[in-house]
Amino acid sequence: MKVPVLLPAALLLLGALAPPASASNPNTSGTASTDLPDQVSFTEHIAPVFMARCVTCHRPNDVAPMSLLSYAEARPWAKSIRQEVQSRQMPPWDADPRFGEFANDISLSDREVELILRWVDQGAVEGDPAKMPPPPSLPPAGSWKMGKQPDYVVDLQPIEVAAGGPDSFITQVYAMELPPGKWVRAIELLPGNTAVLHHVVTYLGPFGIGEEDESTPTGIRRTLLLNEGARRPIGMAEAPSIGGVWVAGSPPTVFPEGTGHPLQATQLVSLNMHYHPSGTAGVDGSKLGFYFGVGELEKEITTAFAADPGIWIPAGASDHHERAVYWFSQDSRILSLLPHMHQRGKSMKYTLVRPDGIREVLLDVPKYEYDWQNIYRFREPVAAPAGSLVEVEASWDNSSTNPANPDPKANVPWGDGTDFEMLVGFVDFVVDEGVKPRAVRGKDQIAALLARHDPRHAFTVTAERMGFGGPLGLVLPPEGDGWLYMGLGNLMFSVSIPGIIHLGDELLLNAGLLTSGGGTRLPLGFAVRSAEDGTISGEMFFGRVLDSTNIDTLRGHGSAFNGVSVAAAAATASSSAGR
């Protein structure tokens, strides 16, 4: 398991808490040394940076291993601080500063970095003690950072972590019992043992719920159902929302004024928790706190995602690319983004494509780190007019040069375990009109996605016994990968179909769907025959991977489907209009 670069004998979590949303955090490049004071001192120049960015963690009895509240405490760490700051290993913020302005940007500006480097290079002097700034007013270490007791607290199961060995990936699932009308305006994780708890991603709803426990050389994976309600069946269209991300020093998740997430009477909460042995055995007993909104919810936050459960990463590939999209059915404002891949994840980029064709990069993470699960909250919401697309492009390093790679000899599909991979580009947004998005017509959604392709090879498909909704979209190019588009209201998937098998006049396609819980991939095979009039027909097979050896025995046992190309449908419509 890849872990962040560590200081000798201790983690340096410099600046791991985001500044307040109102604080400015410019990332100017090319700062000239002439902008810096001739002599840099701790009390006058460095302490203000530490007080603003670092001491929320670097104080006694908090998550960091040492305090930076005073010169005497900080001075022994000067060279290590220089190394981590110069390499940008700390603070752990991996977004390219050229794109997007984020309220929770924890990175240091170029000037702040140069200031710290000059201080160390000049001998790390103290300066005038009278110029030392006072420490910020902070809640006591180990207490709720919101400053008050939550309205609802979930006590998570204590987790024992050995002194050494593989990392542990624990999904804890809890069903809340709530009166009607409750909605959440803020969520906070109170860590129990920050020496072993590495990061936690909280979802409102099911996500990454494994069907069985598993131990591998690279990690221990378990699912814990905390109460009887957590065992309830999960609907196919029960999509998760982003509740928040905790890493060392991260602030509570507070949604913008008047916005939040409505809660069901039996609301499921899924916490994906990563534990890393620290050299000393420990027990973590974390808590999750909910702060409810008062009055009526003005805008319901919708969590959408561009996801491709059809990814297939070849063994040894050092730079394998895949992509996924999400389509906005009405005028919306994007609030935040959360990239999600696993240990082979290399990069992820979000691009907004507006209806007029203008493209804007919203977020570029050129060096994705699974060890630091960052959520990126825009300083100002980004307008996404109706008909806009978010394109998400991801890349993976499945080669032996990736030290985090569990097995460079394996072909890697989608899966909830960290030995597998995911492509999920989460997007939190609110709509301009109304409290929540209007119902989406599947045919409009599919039509918009198929319009991106050659109309001769893009097909609208309907099928028998398609209880999960419809229609579907299939893209069957003469060469290269195909695509399956599927919509479930505001939940949608763009699924790549690699390796189309040509079997005489028939095509065999192998795509994939996600089961309830958001982690396990269900194979979905298509046996397709095409006609000269631009139509296709055949059978779909749920849970089966098709090939030349099994297709003959499966015929007649699938769900029949038929489809028509965009070009043929347009020609028919034009002919009818001309009569």
Side-chain angles (χ1 to χ4, degrees):
M1 176 67 192
K2 184 180 180 183
V3 296
V5 176
L6 306 182
L7 288 176
L11 276 167
L12 176 63
L13 298 170
L14 182 66
L17 180 68
S22 59
S24 176
N25 187 25
N27 253 315
T28 56
S29 60
T31 302
S33 59
T34 54
D35 294 339
L36 303 177
D38 292 335
Q39 180 64 52
V40 180
S41 70
F42 180 84
T43 56
E44 185 175 359
H45 306 108
I46 304 304
V49 177
F50 286 178
M51 296 302 175
R53 305 214 186 264
C54 309
V55 299
T56 48
C57 298
H58 288 271
R59 56 177 176 151
N61 303 315
D62 216 304
V63 295
M66 74 288 196
S67 173
L68 298 179
L69 281 170
S70 69
Y71 176 73
E73 293 168 309
R75 179 60 181 85
W77 298 94
K79 290 184 179 180
S80 295
I81 291 172
R82 187 192 195 285
Q83 174 185 338
E84 295 296 299
V85 167
Q86 184 178 36
S87 66
R88 297 281 186 175
Q89 293 293 323
M90 293 292 164
W93 182 262
D94 45 17
D96 187 327
R98 295 177 298 170
F99 308 108
E101 294 185 6
F102 302 98
N104 60 328
D105 186 347
I106 60 177
S107 62
L108 299 175
S109 69
D110 288 349
R111 187 180 189 280
E112 288 170 327
V113 170
E114 292 296 330
L115 200 63
I116 293 171
L117 300 188
R118 175 169 288 194
W119 172 63
V120 177
D121 292 344
Q122 290 180 344
V125 300
E126 178 179 15
D128 183 357
K131 295 182 178 179
M132 182 71 180
S137 178
L138 298 169
S143 66
W144 297 101
K145 291 182 179 180
M146 289 288 287
K148 64 178 182 177
Q149 184 71 12
D151 298 311
Y152 192 107
V153 177
V154 177
D155 292 309
L156 302 175
Q157 181 169 316
I159 302 298
E160 296 183 4
V161 181
D167 288 25
S168 297
F169 303 89
I170 312 295
T171 298
Q172 299 206 35
V173 186
Y174 182 83
M176 303 170 70
E177 295 183 5
L178 299 167
K182 291 294 184 182
W183 58 280
V184 60
R185 67 176 182 86
I187 299 176
E188 179 176 358
L189 184 103
L190 184 63
N193 186 344
T194 56
V196 296
L197 184 61
H198 191 280
H199 74 257
V200 180
V201 183
T202 300
Y203 300 96
L204 299 173
F207 187 77
I209 300 176
E211 296 181 353
E212 58 185 26
D213 296 347
E214 179 182 338
S215 296
T216 71
T218 58
I220 300 169
R221 185 159 56 91
R222 297 168 56 198
T223 294
L224 303 175
L225 305 179
L226 301 184
N227 58 357
E228 192 60 31
R231 302 179 186 276
R232 69 169 173 80
I234 299 170
M236 188 72 179
E238 193 171 345
S241 297
I242 301 172
V245 176
W246 179 90
V247 294
S250 59
T253 297
V254 181
F255 301 113
E257 186 70 26
T259 70
H261 290 279
L263 299 172
Q264 301 177 25
T266 56
Q267 178 69 51
L268 282 185
V269 182
S270 304
L271 295 98
N272 296 161
M273 310 180 76
H274 172 192
Y275 291 96
H276 182 69
S278 65
T280 302
V283 178
D284 172 60
S286 296
K287 301 176 184 290
L288 185 68
F290 290 84
Y291 299 87
F292 296 145
V294 177
E296 295 293 325
L297 176 59
E298 297 175 17
K299 293 288 182 181
E300 178 179 319
I301 297 175
T302 297
T303 297
F305 48 84
D308 179 5
I311 57 174
W312 182 261
I313 305 167
S318 61
D319 190 29
H320 179 75
H321 287 250
E322 301 272 9
R323 62 184 174 88
V325 298
Y326 181 80
W327 177 72
F328 288 92
S329 62
Q330 64 186 100
D331 293 345
S332 305
R333 287 169 289 151
I334 301 174
L335 304 178
S336 63
L337 307 171
L338 171 62
H340 183 75
M341 298 184 285
H342 290 167
Q343 293 163 287
R344 297 172 176 87
K346 183 177 180 179
S347 67
M348 187 176 283
K349 179 188 289 186
Y350 288 73
T351 302
L352 180 66
V353 184
R354 295 186 171 87
D356 58 8
I358 294 177
R359 303 173 63 89
E360 176 187 357
V361 177
L362 301 179
L363 169 68
D364 187 8
V365 179
K367 295 181 179 180
Y368 175 83
E369 289 281 353
Y370 177 72
D371 299 304
W372 298 106
Q373 296 276 327
N374 280 323
I375 188 169
Y376 302 87
R377 302 188 184 280
F378 287 105
R379 191 176 300 281
E380 296 293 335
V382 176
S388 297
L389 283 167
V390 166
E391 293 182 348
V392 174
E393 182 180 12
S395 69
W396 293 264
D397 183 356
N398 193 22
S399 72
S400 58
T401 60
N402 177 3
N405 192 348
D407 183 3
K409 296 180 181 179
N411 295 314
V412 183
W414 176 288
D416 60 331
T418 53
D419 287 357
F420 298 97
E421 273 300 335
M422 286 188 178
L423 192 177
V424 185
F426 287 98
V427 181
D428 265 359
F429 69 91
V430 293
V431 293
D432 288 357
E433 294 184 5
V435 176
K436 62 181 181 179
R438 297 186 296 269
V440 179
R441 296 202 309 171
K443 66 177 185 179
D444 294 340
Q445 188 180 57
I446 297 300
L449 297 173
L450 292 180
R452 297 161 48 83
H453 301 275
D454 186 323
R456 298 170 298 170
H457 309 307
F459 299 85
T460 302
V461 173
T462 56
E464 294 178 352
R465 302 196 302 273
M466 199 159 61
F468 51 80
L472 303 176
L474 270 180
V475 179
L476 306 176
E479 296 180 351
D481 293 353
W483 286 93
L484 167 67
Y485 293 119
M486 172 183 173
L488 292 168
N490 288 300
L491 178 64
M492 60 166 288
F493 301 103
S494 50
V495 186
S496 57
I497 306 176
I500 296 176
I501 301 171
H502 294 261
L503 195 64
D505 60 354
E506 188 174 40
L507 301 178
L508 302 185
L509 322 174
N510 289 300
L513 301 178
L514 297 186
T515 65
S516 56
T520 306
R521 178 179 181 269
L522 176 70
L524 179 63
F526 292 83
V528 183
R529 292 182 182 273
S530 59
E532 293 183 358
D533 62 357
T535 62
I536 57 174
S537 61
E539 287 182 277
M540 286 194 316
F541 300 89
F542 291 89
R544 300 307 299 259
V545 176
L546 305 183
D547 59 37
S548 59
T549 66
N550 65 9
I551 184 60
D552 287 336
T553 60
L554 292 174
R555 294 189 197 281
H557 299 285
S559 297
F561 74 85
N562 58 76
V564 59
S565 72
V566 173
T572 300
S574 177
S575 175
S576 298
R579 291 174 185 170

